[in-house]
Amino acid sequence: MNRLTIEQERDALYNAARRVGLDAHITYMERKGDAHTCAEKLMLNSYRKGMPYKSSYLYCDTLDTCFFFDHDGHACVSMSASWRNGAKDLGRPIREALTNIQKMLNAMTEEADQWLRGGRDERA
């Protein structure tokens, strides 16, 4: 798979998040020391200086996710969670979160494919 530039990755993340109904705030990992949450630390396996990523709790209190593109340009997610018995996130909220993860990964892949096929205007 061809690689997107950092700016194209940012735009693909932004557009994908908007398409699936998540806020489109994109963050950049400038150095490994910028990783604070467990999901951010898991993402470090694909670390590149200045890499953009999208963090979200996916409407759950204890599910932390980071969406990003790995070294090969594939749409990825890292996640961490902690629940105790009776946690309100378990059940329907976590099932909805998993559905949203799949939707976001699909949208990221579609957005990246548009860039790689030349279907995105860089002035947009």
Side-chain angles (χ1 to χ4, degrees), residues 3-91:
R3 291 285 314 158
L4 299 177
T5 66
I6 294 291
E7 293 78 20
Q8 290 168 332
E9 285 184 8
R10 177 204 60 221
D11 290 348
L13 283 165
Y14 177 89
N15 292 335
R18 298 292 299 223
R19 284 175 51 190
V20 301
L22 298 176
D23 75 85
H25 178 75
I26 307 302
T27 307
Y28 294 90
M29 184 68 61
E30 293 297 333
R31 59 187 182 280
K32 288 185 176 184
D34 291 341
H36 300 288
T37 70
C38 290
E40 289 172 344
K41 290 176 183 176
L42 289 169
M43 186 177 64
L44 291 178
N45 291 330
S46 294
Y47 172 76
R48 296 176 323 281
K49 183 174 175 51
M51 72 182 285
Y53 65 99
K54 164 73 184 116
S55 295
S56 179
Y57 287 97
L58 296 172
Y59 310 107
C60 291
D61 290 337
T62 58
L63 176 65
D64 179 24
T65 62
C66 290
F67 295 94
F68 60 97
F69 290 96
D70 70 6
H71 291 295
D72 296 322
H74 297 108
C76 294
V77 64
S78 61
M79 57 190 277
S80 65
S82 176
W83 296 290
R84 66 174 188 260
N85 190 32
K88 69 179 184 171
D89 283 353
L90 292 174

